Amino acid sequence: MKLLDLDEDSLMEIFSYFNFEELLSLSTVCLPFLHLCQRHLRKIRFFALDYRKVSARPNRIEHVRNIFQALGPSLEGFRFSGGYIMDEMLKQSIVVNLANCSALRHLTINYVKLNDQHLKHLASLLSTLVTLDLGHCDLEDASLLEFLQSHPLQLRVLSIPGNTNLSGTFFHDWTDCETLEQLDISYCFSLNIDRMEDFLIRAKRLTAINVTGSLWWQCNKQIFTLEGRTITMGTDIIEFQYSEGG
């Protein structure tokens, strides 16, 4: 008897013993294997890409494409931290493939320099994202504003800590912020809190903010009690359990 002569339930049981890397490799063998592997891989809802493993592969661009092909349609959460010095082609490949994850609700990209072109690709996700973490991504006010205003937002949590180039001017024109509940702008040392006054009036659901490390907070902390509303100093952002692979 050949392996593919087994019934589907038996094959699914056999394939359940393979780990992520093995399933991804087996998915390239033949079409029946691809379908069996996808049925297992698409049970993964939250995935963290291990940049060190991916970058060590000779076929890393193709490998990234295979990962997103296997996980993309059902992926709800994605996390990636690459470091400021990374392969630009690999970064572009990750961003482009991410843009096709139509079910994504939670996205974390940390310690990765994101330019205007990267943000344009990621903008298509804004219509479904509920939490977005772009910490230490070297963001600037103009490109961040264009990104946030490009699509209707459902965001409840925005975390952009450690973006030291932000001065806070993007707050003035950011109008689509009604759904926002928590905001982390910690260690954005150049950010002037005075520029947030109009934004805070518009962001009526905002209940918590993290301004740790802000040079302007002590002078202007009364801004967070406008209109009789008290905004908690500190966020409580949910941590998800991620499967990791690369």
Side-chain angles (χ1 to χ4, degrees):
M1 178 181 286
K2 297 179 181 178
L3 180 62
L4 291 176
D5 291 333
L6 291 172
D7 62 90
E8 189 170 295
D9 288 341
S10 298
L11 287 169
M12 285 294 290
E13 177 66 23
I14 292 170
F15 275 61
S16 70
Y17 289 94
F18 296 118
N19 62 31
F20 175 84
E21 304 293 341
E22 291 165 340
L23 284 169
L24 204 61
S25 179
L26 285 167
S27 71
T28 65
V29 173
C30 61
L31 193 59
F33 274 29
L34 172 63
H35 293 157
L36 287 164
C37 291
Q38 284 181 337
R39 288 182 62 182
H40 282 290
L41 288 168
R42 288 179 183 176
K43 295 175 184 176
I44 298 174
R45 293 289 187 264
F46 292 84
F47 181 75
L49 187 66
D50 189 327
Y51 174 69
R52 291 169 299 177
K53 289 182 180 179
V54 173
S55 61
R57 292 177 177 272
N59 61 336
R60 51 188 178 272
I61 304 298
E62 180 183 355
H63 185 68
V64 166
R65 185 169 59 249
N66 290 339
I67 289 175
F68 282 100
Q69 182 181 13
L71 302 178
S74 56
L75 203 60
E76 294 179 20
F78 179 81
R79 186 177 69 197
F80 172 63
S81 179
Y84 289 132
I85 302 174
M86 64 176 294
D87 185 300
E88 286 299 321
M89 288 185 62
L90 180 55
K91 184 198 300 186
Q92 182 73 6
S93 176
I94 292 168
V95 169
V96 169
N97 281 283
L98 254 179
N100 296 319
C101 296
S102 57
L104 202 68
R105 290 171 59 80
H106 311 281
L107 174 61
T108 297
I109 301 179
N110 291 160
Y111 295 98
V112 176
K113 288 187 177 182
L114 296 177
N115 60 32
D116 290 355
Q117 194 62 36
H118 300 139
L119 292 175
K120 283 180 181 177
H121 285 295
L122 295 175
S124 61
L125 300 172
L126 288 173
S127 299
T128 59
L129 285 178
V130 175
T131 64
L132 175 62
D133 181 347
L134 298 180
H136 304 273
C137 288
D138 208 26
L139 301 175
E140 297 185 354
D141 289 83
S143 56
L144 178 58
L145 176 63
E146 183 178 355
F147 170 66
L148 291 171
Q149 295 281 71
S150 62
H151 287 70
L153 293 183
Q154 305 295 324
L155 278 183
R156 294 202 292 267
V157 176
L158 176 63
S159 184
I160 48 174
N163 285 286
T164 55
N165 292 327
L166 293 177
S167 67
T169 56
F170 75 95
F171 281 119
H172 185 267
D173 295 315
W174 182 18
T175 56
D176 190 11
C177 54
E178 294 87 353
T179 59
L180 198 66
E181 298 172 3
Q182 298 196 65
L183 174 65
D184 184 352
I185 48 173
S186 57
Y187 303 104
C188 295
F189 299 112
S190 301
L191 196 147
N192 187 341
I193 287 174
D194 261 353
R195 293 173 172 164
M196 298 181 64
E197 187 167 351
D198 291 338
F199 160 78
L200 291 170
I201 294 171
R202 292 190 294 267
K204 296 184 182 299
R205 295 187 188 179
L206 188 67
T207 57
I209 188 167
N210 188 345
V211 290
T212 304
S214 169
L215 301 178
W216 302 87
W217 177 58
Q218 288 297 331
C219 296
N220 305 302
K221 57 185 177 182
Q222 75 282 353
I223 199 172
F224 300 111
T225 58
L226 290 172
E227 299 186 334
R229 180 177 55 158
T230 300
I231 297 175
T232 302
M233 292 295 103
T235 53
D236 185 19
I237 299 173
I238 297 174
E239 287 286 336
F240 298 100
Q241 294 295 319
Y242 287 82
S243 300
E244 186 170 297

